[in-house]
Amino acid sequence: MGTVVHLSTSDPIAPIDLPVWCRMTGHEYLGTVAGTEVPTYAVRVVAAPTATDPANPWRRAAPQD
């Protein structure tokens, strides 16, 4: 199993974006973390995620030749 990380953000779209990004990259979105002062979300990371474009992390990286 992968490491679980907690992501804290004030971005109101995070609960929508994070699950999509996790599906795109192979990580597992675990949901909100209760009892935090700021919105916090749990993600289980994988060892070899699908790469994203460094300039636009919401898009997959272009295939390497």
Side-chain angles (χ1 to χ4, degrees), residues 20-56:
V20 174
W21 180 80
C22 285
R23 279 192 301 276
M24 181 180 73
T25 59
H27 300 302
E28 180 183 1
Y29 178 72
L30 301 175
T32 57
V33 177
T36 59
E37 290 184 30
V38 297
T40 303
Y41 309 92
V43 173
R44 179 173 287 119
V45 296
V46 295
T50 299
T52 59
D53 181 344
N56 188 346

